[in-house]
Amino acid sequence: MTTGPAAATRPHNRRQIIVEAAGQVFSARGYHAASMEEIAAGVGISAAALYRHFPNKYALFAECANVMVDELVTVVDEWPRDAALQDVLVALIRVTVAHRASGGVYRWEARYLERDDRRLLRAKFAHVVGRVTEMVRREYPLPDERLRAVAALGAIGSITMHHTSIAQRRIEDLLLTSAMRVVASDTAAAAGHAHVVELPDQPVPRTRRAQILAAAIPLFAREGFANVTNAQIAQAVGLAPSAIYRHFPGKVDILVAACLQAAGLLAEAVDRSLRQAADPRQAVTALAAAYVAYCFEHNALTSVAEAEVAGLPADLQRPVILAQREHIAVWEQQLRMVRPELDPRQARLLVHAGFGVVVEAGRALRWQDAPGCRDVVTALVTSALTL
């Protein structure tokens, strides 16, 4: 007995299809901006049908956050402990590329998970890092093996940070070479080669508008933009909530101002660094050193600018995206002068790999500015660029 044509054509892996579609929506729009109706429409089902699989948006979001990391855990556990590091990295790259469109869920949006779910997700990633670290220690017995493993995984994970179109085989080759160069880096030697970087000072918040911005940035970084209220920002500055509107039309305008401030400070740091470079190779190293120094000095501002820009309205998002593209274009130009065999897209992919190294290595170091840390991370970045 049949129950109608809809039942006959219902895919057996409907839940998996929903999770894949939801991951892309959460990654592109952010957890709070995404809706169950939008996700259902993307799958081609009604919202009511979606709720038969997941009781609420959070349950779907939590499952999305674990899909890729569960596959990464499976990869590192399937290979024997004496497996070649290169083979394991290839497998990890393929999983990451397969989930490229939903990578933002674990990279930025995972902070909206409940505490126990966050702890579980971190434990899974720590397991992957631990297994890769064992292999790095065996094949490249140099200092900072865990940091090198984390940085290599950051280079691989960077593919989820951008939309550069490039053949999958070429992605795999570039990311593998980048990751292998990172794990082979001699960080002890790098620590002795200090790069002098003069960063622009963060503006002293003298006006009320600047004070609001300075108070909002750490709140956005810690709690997530969607979770912060104008009342919290006002309290941090010592204002009544209604007074915020004298300086910013809304909370989103504070976010835009934060993102543009980040872009302006970074552009100034880049200009200073390039003026001191004598040739393209020095220019790339100077760019890496400036970016690392900037991220260590302004990591709250940087994380807000990177994590929240996708949730901005299109008209407000445009100047922020343009500033980010201009920054990447500078890297791409300098890198291609050092490595002319790269086409623009390949160079862009490697630049993002370098950014991924900074993000993950910085997090692993808790952005603590111990002597030599910035120089070690700078060396890992230049390794990721396969100079």
Side-chain angles (χ1 to χ4, degrees), residues 55-385:
N56 52 54
K57 185 170 76 168
Y58 180 81
L60 175 54
F61 176 64
E63 184 157 334
C64 289
N66 282 278
V67 166
M68 187 168 84
V69 71
D70 285 342
E71 291 189 32
L72 297 176
V73 168
T74 299
V75 164
V76 297
D77 286 347
E78 281 180 345
W79 287 86
R81 291 190 178 271
D82 60 350
L85 173 62
Q86 178 168 314
D87 293 338
V88 176
L89 290 182
V90 168
L92 293 174
I93 289 168
R94 287 176 179 163
V95 169
T96 307
V97 171
H99 292 280
R100 181 182 185 183
S102 57
V105 172
Y106 82 89
R107 181 171 291 280
W108 299 120
E109 295 301 309
R111 64 190 151 161
Y112 293 119
L113 290 170
E114 294 173 1
R115 181 177 299 177
D116 289 345
D117 290 332
R118 276 203 313 272
R119 286 176 178 168
L120 178 60
L121 190 69
R122 287 172 184 159
K124 291 175 181 178
F125 275 112
H127 177 73
V128 174
V129 170
R131 289 298 307 275
V132 174
T133 301
E134 292 173 9
M135 299 174 193
V136 172
R137 184 183 296 120
R138 186 184 70 240
E139 295 190 23
Y140 299 95
L142 298 165
D144 297 323
E145 61 269 11
R146 187 178 186 279
L147 183 64
R148 287 182 286 125
V150 167
L153 293 172
I156 293 170
S158 69
I159 195 64
T160 66
M161 298 168 64
H162 59 98
H163 305 288
T164 304
S165 178
I166 189 170
Q168 180 164 331
R169 180 60 183 271
R170 191 60 175 148
I171 291 175
E172 293 177 5
D173 290 344
L174 288 167
L175 290 182
L176 177 61
T177 302
S178 181
M180 290 299 292
R181 292 289 182 88
V182 169
V183 298
S185 297
D186 185 352
T187 56
H193 292 79
H195 298 90
V196 179
V197 178
E198 294 182 11
L199 288 177
D201 295 328
Q202 190 154 343
V204 176
R206 301 185 190 281
T207 66
R208 188 62 86 184
R209 178 184 170 90
Q211 290 170 350
I212 292 169
L213 191 57
I217 288 167
L219 287 173
F220 291 157
R222 185 173 63 250
E223 307 293 338
F225 172 74
N227 289 339
V228 176
T229 65
N230 278 348
Q232 288 175 287
I233 299 170
Q235 183 179 19
V237 184
L239 292 174
S242 59
I244 294 285
Y245 295 102
R246 297 193 202 116
H247 306 279
F248 292 95
K251 188 176 69 167
V252 71
D253 299 280
I254 302 176
L255 174 58
V256 172
C259 292
L260 291 176
Q261 183 184 99
L265 288 171
L266 186 54
E268 188 176 346
V270 165
D271 287 342
R272 290 185 182 186
S273 297
L274 291 179
R275 284 198 295 267
Q276 299 171 3
D279 56 53
R281 183 175 289 273
Q282 283 188 18
V284 172
T285 303
L287 283 170
Y291 188 72
V292 169
Y294 171 81
C295 289
F296 270 80
E297 290 280 345
H298 306 297
N299 66 82
L301 185 57
T302 305
S303 66
V304 168
E306 292 291 338
E308 306 292 0
V309 66
L312 291 172
D315 59 327
L316 297 177
Q317 189 183 90
R318 198 169 297 113
V320 179
I321 295 294
L322 180 61
Q324 291 177 345
R325 287 177 178 170
E326 288 176 350
H327 177 235
I328 292 167
V330 174
W331 281 76
E332 180 187 316
Q333 179 187 39
Q334 298 298 330
L335 180 58
R336 291 188 67 210
M337 283 194 277
V338 181
R339 297 191 56 195
E341 78 279 8
L342 297 173
D343 67 29
R345 289 177 296 176
Q346 293 164 359
R348 205 172 308 135
L349 184 144
L350 287 178
V351 169
H352 280 287
F355 294 167
V357 166
V358 179
V359 170
E360 297 305 331
R363 286 175 176 173
L365 293 167
R366 298 181 183 275
W367 302 109
Q368 294 175 356
D369 202 9
C373 280
R374 294 185 185 185
D375 298 317
V376 166
V377 178
T378 298
L380 292 173
V381 174
T382 56
S383 294
L385 298 173

Side-chain angles (χ1 to χ4, degrees), residues 6-18 53:
T9 58
R10 181 180 299 150
H12 68 281
N13 61 339
R14 170 65 58 77
R15 187 181 180 93
Q16 178 184 345
I17 293 171
I18 291 171
H53 293 274

